[in-house]
Amino acid sequence: MRQFVLGLLVAGLLWWAYGPKSAGATDGAGGAPPANAAGTVPLDQILPGEVAPKAPSAAGPLASNAPAQAAALAPADLDELLAHVAQREPAAVAAGWSLLLQARLGQQRNRLAAALEPPGNDFPALLSALGDDNSFLHSAEGRAAATKALTAAMALPDAEAVPAGSRLIGVCLKGRIERGDREQRAFVDEAYRQHMIRVERWLCDPANVTGARTYTVVSGDSLARIASRFRREKVLVEDGTLAVLNRIHNPNALQVDQKIKVPVDPIYAVVEKRSFSMAVYVGDQLLRLYWIGHGTDDRTPVTEFTVAEKQPRPQWTAPDGQVYPYGHPGNILGEYFIKFRHDSYTGFGAHGTPMPETIGTMSSAGCIRMFAADIEDLFKILPRGAKVIVRASESLR
């Protein structure tokens, strides 16, 4: 009953807040970007130097001198929301961050901003102050609160920092991040950059066998042979997975008696359509984050796929049935194609694109589009049989 009442309250406040909306910013084009050390590419490297400013809207920042667009929010309504915010109920906190963007708040804005202040300085308290979607990313106050949470997470020992960073970045990806949202994407890129330092030190440490088994290399072994052995035991790994998680840069230099970590925690990917992102996890720990593009008119289905095949140098069959071999100018798949399997949906997968400016947009026939460096990285890491979970988490911005 409490959740039902809160839902009605949030719905009513958002109806009040989000009246007529104006159009957002227009997309721009960009060139091919360089990849960073993790093989991933911050999206802002392909965006133009100037992006047209957004017209005032629910997603736009609140100007300090913006006139009220309607009567201010009734104090009793705000009191009701603040009571839920005080309990750190995630939906109420997210609604609070969303409402903070509204010029209609009038004099009530300061009360709401104060209520959204974190209840403490430890990571759990700072995370609880962000809510359950990324509405906080769309205000300066929210990004400041998220920066405090990031600082607290990265101050933890690596064994705790990796799960904490995974949770924080996961919340950042739940909801809308559009192509022109430079500040929002910049925060996520910085959080991921700091997180990856801990990932390399902890999650990819062969001596850290949490959620993993240890294998001792014998004469004649290769990473592919080791991976094949464990796949027969239903442990879904491949040679590239083992190389990344053991910091093996030269797979031809394995030594007899070398200890190899083999993860038994599931490796899977989560696509968040609204933030145009794909995250790869080992158990509940974030290993990789990529910015992506997906289907025109939202045609990429919200479902759960399984990785069926991984095809290097793929040919492409166009929607009209025309087949383009690898290397043909008409072949849009690039160097790699990861084919998804589903009982009801066919033809879906992940691949590179000759049009990197379409990352961050709905522009494909339904497949996941990726930067060339990112699909190469994913091709190594994500094993056949892994799950690819596609979501469309909404935020209240």
Side-chain angles (χ1 to χ4, degrees), residues 71 145 216:
T216 302

Side-chain angles (χ1 to χ4, degrees), residues 28 53 108 119 130 135 137 167 172 189 198 229 256 270 343 392:
Q108 306 287 11
L130 301 180
S135 295
L137 277 181
R167 292 174 64 194
C172 289
D189 284 336
R198 278 71 180 177
R229 171 178 175 169
V256 173
V270 176
D343 290 341

Side-chain angles (χ1 to χ4, degrees), residues 15-22 56-58 69 104:
W15 179 87
W16 165 84
Y18 297 109
K21 297 181 182 179
S22 300
S57 70
Q69 298 172 5
R104 299 181 185 188

Side-chain angles (χ1 to χ4, degrees), residues 335-380:
E335 297 290 328
Y336 305 97
F337 182 66
I338 301 176
K339 184 178 181 180
F340 299 162
R341 181 174 65 245
H342 193 280
D343 290 341
S344 301
Y345 301 109
T346 59
F348 291 91
H351 57 80
T353 176
M355 298 170 284
E357 68 276 8
T358 63
I359 302 299
T361 70
M362 297 186 201
S363 50
S364 77
C367 286
I368 305 301
R369 287 184 172 180
M370 305 180 69
F371 291 131
D374 288 353
I375 186 64
E376 181 178 6
D377 192 55
L378 182 68
F379 193 87
K380 295 174 184 175

Side-chain angles (χ1 to χ4, degrees), residues 26-37:
T26 359
D27 288 340
N36 63 22

Side-chain angles (χ1 to χ4, degrees), residues 23-26 51-57 59-61 138 178-181 184 397:
T26 359
V51 174
K54 291 183 178 181
S57 70
H138 301 285
E178 297 178 358
R179 197 162 173 273
D181 289 338
Q184 294 83 343
R397 59 171 286 191

Side-chain angles (χ1 to χ4, degrees), residues 13 34 45 102 152 155 167-168 203 234 255 308 315 339 367:
L13 288 171
Q45 293 186 23
Q102 300 309 308
R167 292 174 64 194
L168 174 59
L203 187 56
K234 308 302 182 185
Q255 302 294 317
Q315 70 176 22
K339 184 178 181 180
C367 286

